[in-house]
Amino acid sequence: MDDLYYILPEIVLVVTAVGILAADFVLPEDSKPNLAWPAALGTVVALGLVISFWGTERSLYNGTLRIDDYAVFFKVMFLVIGFFVLIGSPAFARRNLRHTAEFYGLILFAVVGAMAVSSARELLTAYISLELVSFGFYALSAHAKDERRSNEAGAKYIILGAFSSALLLYGISLVFGAAGTTFYVDISAQAETAAGLGPGLLMGIALLVAGLGFKVAAVPFHMWTPDVYEGAPLPVTAFLSVGSKAAGFAFLIRLFVEGLQPVMADWRDALGILAILTMTLGNLVAMQQRNIKRLLAYSSIAQAGYVLVGVPVLTMGTAAGMMLHLAGYAVTNLGAFLVVIFYNNATGREKISEFRGMSRRSLPLALMLAICLFSLAGMPLFAGFVTKFYLFSAVAAHGLWWLVAFAIGNSIVSVYYYLVVVREMFVTPSDDDEEDRKPLRIPVHSAAALTALAGLVLWIGLYPDAIVRAAENGSRAIFGG
Amino acid sequence: MIEAVPLSHVLFVGAAMFAIGIFGVLSRRNAVAILLGVELMLNAVNINFIAFTMYSAPSRIVGQIIAIFVITVAAAEIGLGLAIILQVFRNRANINVDELDLLRW
Amino acid sequence: MLVALVGLNLVAGFSMFALPERNRGAARFLALAAASVSLVLSVLVFALYDRSVGGFQFENQFTWLPSLGISFHVGVDGISAPMVLLTGVVIFTGVLVSWNIDRRTREYFALLFILVSGVFGVFAAMDLFFLFFFYEVAVLPMYLLIAIWGSTRRGYAAMKLVMYLLAGSILIWVGLLALYHAMGASSFDFVDMQQAGFDPVLARVVFPIFFVGFGVLAGLWPFHTWSPDGHVAAPTAVSMLHAGVLMKLGAYGIIRMGVQLLPSGAQDWLWFFLIIAVINVLYGAFSAMAQRDLKFVIGYSSVSHMGYVLMGIGSLTVIGLDGAVLQMFSHGIMTALLFAMVGVIYDRAHTREISEFGGLARVMPRFSILFIIAGLTSLGLPGLSGFAAEFLVFVGTFQTSPWLGVLGVVGVAVTAVYILRLIARVFFGPLNERWRDISDASRLETIAGVCLVGFLVLFGIYPPLMVGQIDSAVTPLIASLSP
Amino acid sequence: MNFAAFLFYLVSALALTAALGTVLARNIVYAALSLIAALALVAGIFFILHADFIALVQLLVYGGAVSVLIIFGLMLTATDRPVTAPRDRWQRVLALLGAAAFLGLAAFAAFATDWMRGRPEQLQRVPPAEIANELFTKWAIPFEVASLVLLVALIGAIVVARREPQ
Amino acid sequence: MGWSWLIPILPLAAFPIVGLFGRRLPGGGSFLTILAVTAGFAISVMGLIELTTTAGLEFNQGPGPFVVEFLRAGDLSVPLSMVVDSLSLVMLIVVTFLTAVIQIYSIGYMRGEQRLHWYFATMSLFAAAMLGLTITNNLVILYVAWELVGLCSYLLIGFWWERPSAREAAKKAFITTRIGDVGLLIGILLLFVNTGTFEMDEIFAMVNAGEVGSGAVTLSAILIFLGAMGKSGQFPLHVWLPDAMEGPSPVSALIHAATMVAAGVFLVARMYPLFAASEGALMVVLVIGTITAIFAALLALVETDLKRVLAYSTISQLGYMMFALGAGGMTAAMLHLVTHGFFKALLFLGAGAVMHACGGIIDIDRLGGLRKRMPITTWTFVIGALSLSGFPLLSGFWSKDAILNSAVEGGHWLTFSVGVITAALTAFYMFRVIFRVFFGSPRSSAAENAHAAEPVLAVPLVILAVFAVLGGWVGSPLIGDPFARFVYFGAEAGHAFESLGAILLSASAAIVGIIVAYSVYMLRSPSAETVREAIPAAHRFLARRAYIDDLYQWLIDHVSLALAVLVAMFDRKVINGTAVDGSGFLVIFSGSRLRRLMTGFLYNYAAFMLLGVVGLSIVIFALAD
């Protein structure tokens, strides 16, 4: 049962989740929000296990799964994400949610699903794991059941999610029909020998892109994103914005690298166009937003566009770049959301204009958000700069200048709306009521979480060697180099 | 026997059902009705899987297994979907999706 | 030493946040200390640079991202050493004139020093990735500095400035990547890239990208409009740094990455850019003439003066480039002085309308003398550093294209017109009674002004002090041009 | 055309008709009923294609569980509010165009692709035991994950739909 | 001449000392500046003695014991090299002498001024720059000094900057001369481009050797002359000089009469090898000089401001010098420069004494009858005027004679006749002033109560009067014209008496001018009013300064400023408003439209997804091979 050892982290999480669900029956109501701590502990344990797999390359369970540096990279990412989401949740959950034990359990299950996605080397496994992630998110989005916005978000999300998974499945069926198999390696082999499997495979790819585009919020499959981000409970939005996207990309990158590379010439331009549409629309519409959650939603769409830039030229470099950018984006966005969550907990606010004068109330909080926003904008000192630089330069290396030019141009435009938030926090004077001048007190654990994330953002921004190496190893693993 | 029906015809049936499902999703206002459309689409997918695995795939089993999973997912989807829609109904007394517009732009 | 310069300011910037919020004195003291050390270090860098040896000196290198060929590599040559000095001087004086910032003092200084570390970084970086990196570091704090502590239309100006400069940086980035990949994606190091020797066709394509990309920051026409608005809106010290140092980053980038890496590209585009430079000179000067706000006048005059820098670069001669770099220094000091002085008057009068002043020389003699000296430098008066710089630029331009040189010289006359009009209106004539009780420049402001004037006079009376150093870098550069 | 083929076309036509009924019926209850019919007819197709086991699963899961669920759902969300005009008048046209475009593309893919590539066109029944065997060995991981999916859906449905004590 | 480098350096050193600490020094530090310039005078005289005893031109590289470069860049080198030859020595002596005298005069004249130290500091800087300009061998240094004298002129004209008129005059002076300087700078640069050096001796050598194209020579000579025109107030750049009289009178005497404005003449003389190589350039100089001479004299006829009359007179005399240069009479021009320096300084100081005595009144219509109260001033002024008019045997006679002679020799008869007419006009307007100011009866209480000049004012007047009488004799053929044997270009100049008729003509013209003035202003037959009414158009034309100032004002207001406003508007509206803000608006606007896609309706969202699928498929189908 050696294979089992390598899925031990997932098992740990499942066990933790079940344990928490069980604890729900015995614990008194007001201590339930604290279940986040054992849940977080579970992610830490799993994280330790996952890291110990670094450098391993091994096929598991008849090749449906594979543990390699690529998988480890993403698993670490998901666990970190899960950890911070859990850490950031209790205060919010206490205020706004019922059934907090289930809430944490669902988060853990979603993390399990995402981890499985990153290992999966086969369409069915990957699909069903992705569904696990999605179902977690469906339930989480609608979790604030008394809130009409949360209901609406959940309804829209699950219906569109079902629609998209139908599209994805139709695509899988076509790929399966054309290649006769769902294993990436075999698909690749088929595609190589039977030069071009005709319209069937191509349409299958289009549908796969559509289905995965939904998860990563690529235009025009992004429409759910802003609504769900806005409607879902804040910690869920935080989780969603990085988890769903990263899971989708974990699926997409491995699939395209291991399975569809031989027919790359057929889909590269289409994906380039997709990337441009995604970032352009994301940025343009983000400028119009008044709600911080919606702003971050459109920003996340734009970020998906940046990552997609790497897909049309799938090489070791661009794949590493995409992974890197995702990782940077994940910590950054989480940081931003943690601040928003905290601010919302303290004040109940989420409009951008309500962030005015925040720097007067808590400079560290405002600085943290500013750091994250600058990082999202791709400013130096912060993660976003390095990861974008790496990614875009890798793409440029293959002569896709038009794509890079669009991407860089877009990142400039994006600065505008990030700056608008920064302006509200630092520049615009706060209204002169008592409430606005009260300093915010940050609980120790929130402060620790924020500091850790800020540290990560700065670490990637200032000395990214280790993480770049990790991403490169991960990328090498799927390219089999 | 059944081999007289070419694979493409079976696939066309699947495609047609999928398209009908799409039409359902796109044209309906009632959230439950939309879910019905999704169910049609998932069934169409299953037709594809069964057709492929029976006609052309190296393995006669894989497609069937996938179909089982699809059915599972479809059931789960309808279950959770209906639960959420029910909650929407409780809070708004109405499940027309074009009145779900608190969130937009 | 260079690492210390960059690091010190960065640390100073961030450690501002550690200070107690209410204690303005501590922030000021820390700022002054950091600025003083910066000044001393930058003077040392300038003075200890061995011009007989030339090349890059004070080098330090640390690996950073070996897989991409990026290392933290710093060093200065004859072009960057004067710029380091300039930065040191301007930040020192900038801190002095910022002494009376009462609102959010520590944040102000924090951002100021982060900005300055970026500027030092650009001038010291020998790795082009880091050059770009620091370039952006220098641009960003600008937004907050203007938006929070600024004046007229600050939100608009700050946003426009940042968007503009970032747009310029796109081009730089694209150009940089093109070169990086053209040489086999092995290194971002300046020396390696210089030795790589790029294909003339590539050079022809990339050079204008760099030129425009950096040109945006240098106030290149028609991408200059951020500059007057930005200057007007910015608080005093930021205007000083901005016009004094930041615009030089652009010109520096053109020399470093444009001319030095792509000499053949520069040669191909020489005519076009000389013409643009001349337009810059005349357009800026005429625009300045029509302005009513003191800061707008100076803002447009910066556009005009940066035109001389671009002219000098565009001439592609040793003399012209010497002049361009000297002009960068000279204009930096001069415009810092002008903005410092406008800050002085704005602090007291709360207006900058030229027509509202008159006869200030009577009540504010120190202020007036400092301002007038700066103005005279601006119009190219011999004995002040602006003359030597502009003269060299003209000589260089004449060697390349006498006709454009003539137009450039005409620009000097136009400059004289608006500067003299301004001086006459503001300082001379009968005293406007409104300002009867206005106080003269404070001691700190005077020290700052005198310090700046000292440099103007020092390098004006004896320019070889600086030109020799510039020469040590420029001569091999021009020698590398194909005939 | 032999009988099996005839049966296939007949059942398919009926299934598609039922599907159309699902999406076109004004009354949502009729729509649900015709969906159940369509699902049953699809099970028929599976049967004709020699996938007996799947046909059975289809009937059980859909005919049994899902239809009941849907009916319950309809009953719980029944409303006596007057019908309002749709907010987007182009909705149906758009839907028709979209569906038609997709059908065109999918049909093109179906007909233009050489799916068979010389494989034997011999449809065979597979004993359920073989399916089960492979499901629990080769596909153990997806199976386990699917169980988690169901668990999550279950928890989610309970959490969301449960009536809260006020 | 080992010490000559000290000549400009001493006053230069005095400048910062007096400027910074003068407030605390007795007399505003005037003793320091006077000492510095007097030392320069002494050194110059020593140089003169040395040079006359050894003979020959001397080029002296580097300032004394050390070689200093002002600039060095690439192959460009600007050493502080000097040339001490007869030409520069003459100029040095004139400048140091006049500066010393006038500074002494200033002690009295400026007494009680608040910014006295500033006055002397600037004067000292002026002296340094003027002397540097004179002594340098390098065109760049020349330009530097040239600009610095301009600066000093600006500062001193605007010395009483509280007065709007002084402020405007200073600005006008700087800008107008700047226009000429642009030409000068371009000319210098052009020379550098063609010769590769800024050293004058090297340039001349190359020009003489014919190594520079004639077109370049002509062009650069004309451009350099443009600089000289600006500085020397040549038509049409003369407008600033009359206004420059807003400065203190000693400033007018020194800078705007004797030295700085003569720098243009000196420049042309200095660059004479260049000009001589180009017929065209000489022609331009001749024509401009001729026009200026008569034009300024005409304007002087109707001017009522005493100092402005003198200013026009200066312009006119500078025109004489210029056309002498244009006609080939470099010696004559320099001689006239020297003599003009003396008598014009005298006249200005006299005018200053009048102002001083009459409480600042300078309008000749409000003075009168000062002869009795200020005898020394009156008679020294008369001597100056006579000398200026070219009254026989006085300084001006010799130099003017030499100039007219050079016109004759050059065969420029038109210029000659203009010169003669101008001489008559000069005599007329000078004596118009004298009769109006010193004779007749006082026309204001200030004039009635005028007091005699105090010694510190009077002594310089007397000294200068002596020179105004005798100074010109250095160029007198009666004693063998030593000046011409000392300062000359090419061959030694010939002498005036060779065309005796011309001399008699000019001398009688001067006398006629005086007689007519006497007739008009003393005998009132015909009276000035009658004449004025007889030719109103001409009078108005002259009184409006031939509309040239108006033209410039119009050009500034309606062309230059309008252009500036236009450019600024273009910048704001088109470049910033449309291009920059417009594109920003476009981005925002497209965002505001695009967001409407996210209608919030679920089926719209699904429709978009489907659209994406269809689009993607089509694109992939289309792009796949």
Side-chain angles (χ1 to χ4, degrees), chain C residues 153 156 160 164 221-222 224-225 228-229 283 286-287 289-291 296 300 318-319 322 359 361-362 376 379-383 387-388 391-392 394-395 398-399 402 406 409-410 412-413 416-417 420-421 423-425 427-430 460-464 467-468 471, chain E residues 68-76 78 114-115 140 143-145 147-148 151 154-155 158 161-164 167-168 170-171 174-175 178-179 181-183 185-186 188-190 192-193 198 219 556-557 560-561 563-568 570-572 575-576 580-581:
Chain C
R153 292 182 88 195
Y156 165 80
K160 183 160 84 170
Y164 237 114
W221 185 87
H224 63 280
T225 61
D229 282 320
Y283 185 94
F286 273 110
S287 297
M289 203 189 285
Q291 302 304 322
F296 265 114
Y300 276 107
V318 176
I319 302 173
D322 280 349
R362 176 189 286 280
L376 293 176
L379 57 78
L381 190 83
F387 168 75
F391 183 76
L392 289 176
F394 294 145
V395 173
F398 263 80
Q399 286 177 335
V406 167
V409 178
V410 169
V412 177
V417 173
L420 291 175
R421 278 166 54 96
I423 290 177
R425 292 268 179 80
F427 299 103
F428 299 151
I461 288 180
Y462 193 56
V467 178
D471 220 38
Chain E
V68 178
E69 283 181 319
F70 172 67
L71 254 183
R72 167 166 209 86
D75 49 359
L76 164 101
V78 180
Q114 231 186 356
R115 297 187 286 265
V140 179
Y143 182 78
V144 169
E147 287 289 313
L148 286 178
L151 170 73
Y154 168 75
L155 293 174
W161 43 253
E162 289 92 342
R163 297 208 304 243
R167 172 183 81 177
E168 295 305 314
K171 192 176 78 185
F174 205 135
I175 292 174
R178 230 339 156 52
I179 293 168
D181 295 350
V182 167
L185 183 55
I186 295 171
I188 291 174
L189 291 169
L190 211 59
F192 177 76
V193 171
F198 288 115
L219 191 59
I556 290 172
D557 288 348
S560 171
L561 271 182
L563 181 65
V565 170
L566 205 68
V567 169
F570 175 79
D571 192 64
R572 288 284 98 184
I575 293 200
N576 193 44
V580 178
D581 290 354

Side-chain angles (χ1 to χ4, degrees), chain E residues 446-466:
Chain E
E448 270 173 57
N449 302 322
H451 52 83
E454 51 189 306
V456 74
L457 299 184
V459 170
L461 289 179
V462 173
I463 296 173
L464 288 174
V466 170

Side-chain angles (χ1 to χ4, degrees), chain C residues 150-194:
Chain C
S151 50
T152 322
R153 292 182 88 195
R154 58 188 184 187
Y156 165 80
M159 188 59 86
K160 183 160 84 170
L161 179 144
V162 171
M163 298 314 293
Y164 237 114
L165 300 192
L166 292 179
S169 73
I170 306 179
L171 294 176
I172 299 167
W173 193 353
V174 169
L176 183 58
L177 288 184
L179 296 190
Y180 175 65
H181 293 300
M183 59 173 286
S186 55
S187 171
F188 274 106
D189 201 273
F190 175 74
V191 180
D192 296 342
M193 285 192 136
Q194 199 181 17

Side-chain angles (χ1 to χ4, degrees), chain A residues 124 127-128 135 145 149 151-152 155-156 158-159 162-163 165-166 169-170 173 177 180 227 230 289 294 298, chain B residues 15 18 34 38 41-42 48-49 52 58 69 73 76-77 81 84 87-88 91-92 100-105:
Chain A
L124 178 60
Y127 166 73
I128 200 81
F135 271 84
K145 46 192 288 191
R149 291 198 307 171
N151 297 156
E152 182 176 332
K156 282 181 175 172
I158 192 169
I159 292 174
F163 183 67
S165 73
L169 278 172
Y170 200 89
S173 79
D227 290 1
E230 189 185 343
Q289 300 308 318
R294 265 188 112 70
Y298 283 104
Chain B
F18 199 84
I34 292 177
V38 173
M41 292 167 74
L42 291 173
N48 266 14
F49 275 118
F52 281 129
F69 281 100
V73 168
E77 239 152 36
I84 293 175
Q87 192 60 25
V88 171
N91 282 332
R92 317 175 54 123
L100 289 176
D101 62 353
L102 282 177
L103 308 168
R104 59 173 166 174
W105 294 332

